[in-house]
Amino acid sequence: MYFFLKHLSFLDLCYVLVILPKAIVDNLMNSSSISLWGCILQVFLVVSLACTEMALLTVMSYDRYVAVCYPLHYEVIMKRATCIKMATSSWLSGGVSGILHTVTTFSLPIKTSVLVHQFFCEIPQLLRLSCSNEYLAEVGAVAITSLLSFVCFIFIAQSYIHIFSTVLNISSTVGQSKAFSTCIPHLAVVTVFLGAAAMAYLKPAEDIPSVFDLVVSVFYTVVPPTLNPIIYSLRNKDIKAAMLKYFKIIYFGSATC
């Protein structure tokens, strides 16, 4: 669990750093310009990190499924080598998706000086500004990514159905409430993440983007990285104890055993 949490924490940190710092600086400096290569890099990183997060959340749901449903076989099934392969596959799949979407998007002719109605370079907004209407390559890339994301969601939902059925057989109500209080928020975040991304990428294009487009983008770029630490870390007893010990060292200069 902690192995995957490290990857998720680093991923969420990178996800936020790719988008928010520039948006905040642009707002403070009253500037909203970005170079073409900066836009290309931002598109690649956003898509790569988003797809990696979806894959990593799927892997983490499987890890939790094995831990709850097959606790005695957990050490055998989730060996360190297996965890490394799963994490590596998640990062590689995200990178491939990022390259695919970046190439298909910027292979289209785009106006040299345009106004993107978004706080970052988002693919649907860039396609609206293209000089060509031949979006078949990017539509195919979006279709492939959407299909894989849907498969991941079904896998996550199926994992938690098995987890819930196992938890319901636990006689302790405390154990049941603890499991439900962790699993349900995770499913909620995944649903918000996928639902907002689907609305942003699959809804029909509009000539004049609305405030709704900005709100939807916030829900799949800012909300999941903000809620994941609360769901996975701050609710964990060991991590809370480690944080308490860390703050004692900072403020009091020593730690208690």
Side-chain angles (χ1 to χ4, degrees), residues 57 60-61 64-65 155-165 182-184 186-187 232:
L57 290 175
M60 293 178 69
S61 69
R64 185 163 297 178
Y65 160 74
F155 189 88
I156 292 173
Q158 187 177 12
S159 298
Y160 277 108
I161 288 174
H162 288 291
I163 290 173
F164 290 154
S165 62
T182 303
C183 296
I184 292 177
H186 175 212
L187 282 176
Y232 289 103

Side-chain angles (χ1 to χ4, degrees), residues 126-204:
L126 294 173
L127 294 179
R128 292 190 181 107
L129 304 173
S130 173
C131 303
S132 173
N133 293 324
E134 298 179 359
Y135 302 148
L136 291 180
E138 176 57 22
V139 168
V142 171
I144 293 173
T145 305
S146 300
L147 178 62
L148 293 177
S149 299
F150 181 73
V151 171
C152 289
F153 179 77
I154 295 299
F155 189 88
I156 292 173
Q158 187 177 12
S159 298
Y160 277 108
I161 288 174
H162 288 291
I163 290 173
F164 290 154
S165 62
T166 301
V167 169
L168 288 175
N169 294 326
I170 299 176
S171 57
S172 172
T173 56
V174 176
Q176 291 181 356
S177 62
K178 183 178 179 181
F180 284 127
S181 65
T182 303
C183 296
I184 292 177
H186 175 212
L187 282 176
V189 171
V190 172
T191 303
V192 168
F193 176 66
L194 277 181
M199 283 189 285
Y201 282 80
L202 301 180
K203 76 181 187 68

Side-chain angles (χ1 to χ4, degrees), residues 240-250 252-257:
K240 286 192 291 186
M243 290 181 63
L244 181 61
K245 181 179 179 180
Y246 175 75
F247 284 120
K248 283 183 178 180
I249 294 175
I250 292 178
F252 300 104
S254 61
T256 57
C257 297

